[in-house]
Amino acid sequence: MLQAARSAFEEQGLGVPLGEIARRAGVGAGTVYRHFPSKEALFRATIVDRIELFTDTARDLAEVADPGAVFFRFLSSVVRLAVRNKALCDALEAAGAGRFEPSPGVGQDFDDALEVLLRRAQEAGAVRQDVGIADLRALLVGCLSMERAVPGSGSGDRAPGRMTALMCDALRTERAATAVTELEAESVKRNESRCGVCGAAIAAAQTGRPARYCGGACRQKAHRARERTRQT
């Protein structure tokens, strides 16, 4: 019964009907209810061991060298494993919103173990100091939601793991200032226009009507040219 429930929850999450679980287990719904008073109780029973495995892994990594690399590897592995399991995604999202507790102490144990890895990574200078466990849980839940989203077609496609990589980059202390400068420069380049008379570059206007000429001299030349055209 538990194996059937685990498989069904992994595929469909908490929304799977209890009748579907009973069908997979080859028993009646009454048999399921005799062992578990509610679908939520059965759901808890199927995911507790998964969350405990994450917790145990985090504890095992608490004293490993290079805490920054360990922290980011652990965070990435949680997303990679959980994103394949809709039950875990639903549980982590509901727990993050305060709507669900897998089992007394299980959610808190995971938070505590994760916070140890976070604190060690911060002490090593690998993670921003202004990030707390609440921030981390919110980022984790958001990342899971984005990774689960089916990529669209065309240029909007994204590779699996891209959102995880962006989340980890947002947590790092090393900010690529030169890359930001390059992006800003590229943005200016894309948005600049050219003078209609001399062809010189004109930066995009921040407000008002976009400029068409680089200055008064070219504007006067354009005006005289329009006048000549009208007269002819």
Side-chain angles (χ1 to χ4, degrees):
M1 191 185 305
L2 274 174
Q3 185 56 45
R6 181 174 289 114
S7 175
F9 283 132
E10 285 179 2
E11 294 171 12
Q12 302 179 45
L14 189 53
V16 64
L18 194 64
E20 170 64 14
I21 296 172
R23 186 191 65 77
R24 293 191 184 202
V27 299
T31 302
V32 178
Y33 276 119
R34 280 197 296 273
H35 291 82
F36 300 94
S38 66
K39 185 173 70 172
E40 188 175 88
L42 180 57
F43 182 72
R44 284 193 176 94
T46 62
I47 64 166
V48 163
D49 60 340
R50 299 297 195 263
I51 296 177
E52 286 177 338
L53 179 61
F54 286 150
T55 301
D56 291 342
T57 302
R59 287 170 175 166
D60 290 341
L61 295 172
E63 299 301 326
V64 175
D66 199 356
V70 165
F71 170 78
F72 287 116
R73 280 201 302 270
F74 177 76
L75 208 59
S76 298
S77 67
V78 168
V79 175
R80 187 177 65 254
L81 294 172
V83 79
R84 305 172 191 164
N85 185 329
K86 197 170 188 305
L88 267 177
C89 288
D90 286 355
L92 290 172
E93 289 175 6
R99 302 191 308 269
F100 179 75
E101 170 62 44
S103 185
V106 171
Q108 187 60 52
D109 287 346
F110 175 70
D111 279 357
D112 292 344
L114 184 59
E115 190 168 18
V116 170
L117 295 184
L118 170 63
R119 187 172 62 251
R120 291 188 72 238
Q122 288 174 323
E123 290 171 352
V127 175
R128 293 167 45 169
Q129 296 294 323
D130 60 341
V131 174
I133 188 62
D135 301 318
L136 189 56
R137 283 296 298 270
L139 284 170
L140 184 58
V141 168
C143 186
L144 278 171
S145 178
M146 293 302 296
E147 290 285 7
R148 284 171 60 189
V150 179
S153 59
S155 61
D157 288 356
R158 61 173 181 270
R162 176 168 171 75
M163 295 299 103
T164 307
L166 290 175
M167 174 184 67
C168 290
D169 284 346
L171 291 167
R172 299 181 196 277
T173 53
E174 314 95 61
R175 306 306 300 164
T178 53
V180 172
T181 302
E182 289 166 4
L183 286 173
E184 290 173 346
E186 181 63 25
S187 176
V188 169
K189 184 178 179 181
R190 285 197 304 268
N191 289 302
E192 69 183 10
S193 56
R194 296 283 172 176
C195 175
V197 175
C198 68
I202 306 173
Q206 298 298 315
T207 59
R209 188 175 181 179
R212 297 176 60 189
Y213 308 105
C214 61
C218 284
R219 191 176 298 107
Q220 286 297 322
K221 289 179 183 178
H223 175 70
R224 287 195 292 269
R226 286 194 298 272
E227 288 298 316
R228 285 195 298 270
T229 301
R230 291 195 194 97
Q231 291 170 6
T232 57

